[in-house]
Amino acid sequence: MTAVADSTPLPALAPLYRGRFAPSPTGLLHAGSLATAVGSYLEAHSRGGEWLVRIEDLDPPREQPGASVHILATLEAFGFEWDGEVVYQSRRHALYREALQALAERGLAYLCACTRREIALAARPGVDGPVYPGTCRPGLPAGREGRAWRLKVEPGELGFVDRLQGYYAQDLARDVGDFVLLRADGFWAYQLAVVVDDAEQGITDIVRGADLLVSTPRQIWLQRCLDVVTPDYCHLPVLVNAAGEKLSKQTLAPAIEPASAAAELRLALVRLGQAPDPACQSVAELWQWARANWRLDRVTPAPVPVV
Ligand code: GLU
């Protein structure tokens, strides 16, 4: 047997678990986004993994000025610690372009000339808006210019087992239709950017809000089209207000304040089914307790009312 010389470089080991939190700076963090951040952070820690933060700033018209800075400052004030540098989607256009080009070269993506109005007139409703009727799939109609890029989907059940929500499936052709990768307004679609980034960053486990469950089959399809690995998924319950609406900027969820970090953190843990020790008063004590006691099997899959 030949001894391995001390100087032999060891192959880089891929992490067993790498999670992430990926807020869009369309508003400030609220109780709902905090619960998602807490759940994904604690799951990553309990699995001995890494936890990355990625700012999804790909939709400037919807962004709130200063929100990215505010979100990161709030995460810091709440005691989150992330691995590596924060990644900004707005600086990664080249990666998305490369992915689109690869899909187009393989005949999987095509230019679409349809307007929103034309689609609304021709389409039937799907699980997340109208099902694109495939008008431009055979080629652009004569005299029309391409506005957006779409990905071809195929009929058949596409399902996966979510660690919290169980089996979830869609038939993309029936429920969604060929979906947008590059929007008519020139901005990258969330579906493309998120898949490219999760793959490029080596994310193994995606823990996020259950409002995104409806997007996951599209993302798995894209992963298959791009020949990248499908991570494990865990969709945490969304928090809902008294009217049953998801807490969001649209439903006027108030921003969380660093001044009440301990109280907010405790509430987030309780909403995720954990029972923090009443003796833990400070943010540091709560994190210490939570890191030692986090249990995903205590989290309910159903929406959590915020009273
Ligand atoms: N940026 C998305 C949001 O804030 C989350 C994306 C994801 O976790 O996949 O809703």
Side-chain angles (χ1 to χ4, degrees):
M1 202 174 110
T2 331
V4 177
D6 280 346
S7 59
T8 309
L10 292 168
L13 291 176
L16 296 177
Y17 186 111
R18 183 180 282 158
R20 51 47 162 203
F21 177 56
S24 304
T26 49
L28 307 182
L29 291 183
H30 51 74
S33 30
L34 176 67
T36 300
V38 167
S40 87
Y41 184 68
L42 289 173
E43 186 57 18
H45 273 280
S46 75
R47 306 266 300 270
E50 296 175 348
W51 188 73
L52 278 48
V53 172
R54 181 172 74 227
I55 298 285
E56 303 213 314
D57 52 351
L58 273 188
D59 197 351
R62 288 186 55 230
E63 276 156 30
Q64 179 172 324
S68 299
V69 172
H70 197 282
I71 287 171
L72 293 175
T74 307
L75 287 175
E76 237 177 291
F78 271 73
F80 289 93
E81 286 166 7
W82 51 87
D83 293 289
E85 296 281 312
V86 172
V87 161
Y88 292 82
Q89 288 191 324
S90 58
R91 302 176 192 166
R92 294 163 70 84
H93 293 281
L95 285 173
Y96 312 139
R97 180 155 298 285
E98 218 174 276
L100 175 58
Q101 198 163 343
L103 294 167
E105 275 166 12
R106 292 168 56 199
L108 298 172
Y110 63 89
L111 268 169
C112 170
C114 298
T115 62
R116 225 176 249 273
R117 199 180 133 74
E118 285 168 334
I119 296 170
L121 286 173
R124 53 191 172 73
V127 294
D128 191 20
V131 176
Y132 181 64
T135 322
C136 297
R137 194 194 246 241
L140 287 173
R144 296 290 301 270
E145 271 197 29
R147 297 160 42 84
W149 280 91
R150 289 183 183 273
L151 183 69
K152 290 181 184 169
V153 298
E154 281 173 15
E157 181 165 306
L158 195 164
F160 69 101
V161 180
D162 186 87
R163 290 187 54 221
L164 203 55
Q165 309 290 333
Y167 185 71
Y168 180 83
Q170 289 171 356
D171 179 321
L172 287 175
R174 182 193 66 205
D175 301 330
V176 179
D178 295 345
F179 59 91
V180 171
L181 301 172
L182 180 61
R183 292 163 22 183
D185 59 10
F187 295 118
W188 296 105
Y190 155 70
Q191 309 292 356
L192 178 70
V194 81
V195 166
V196 168
D197 285 338
D198 285 333
E200 196 277 331
Q201 294 187 280
I203 303 297
T204 62
D205 289 76
I206 295 182
V207 179
R208 62 184 178 190
D211 52 316
L212 292 166
L213 198 52
V214 75
S215 285
T216 307
R218 267 170 280 182
Q219 294 174 13
I220 294 175
W221 176 247
L222 248 174
Q223 286 151 3
R224 292 179 187 171
C225 292
L226 288 167
D227 282 327
V228 297
V229 176
T230 292
D232 276 353
Y233 286 96
C234 173
H235 287 83
L236 297 172
V238 288
L239 304 193
V240 293
N241 63 20
E245 302 158 333
K246 172 183 158 326
L247 297 198
S248 68
K249 188 181 159 196
Q250 286 71 33
T251 59
L252 306 176
I256 47 165
E257 296 293 340
S260 39
E264 293 281 7
L265 183 54
R266 171 181 295 283
L267 268 175
L269 290 166
V270 170
R271 286 165 179 158
L272 290 169
Q274 316 297 302
D277 183 343
C280 297
Q281 293 292 325
S282 68
V283 168
E285 286 167 343
L286 281 162
W287 277 127
Q288 201 181 6
W289 180 90
R291 280 178 182 234
N293 294 285
W294 166 254
R295 290 210 12 214
L296 184 64
D297 62 357
R298 296 224 169 106
V299 183
T300 159
V304 175
V306 170
V307 281

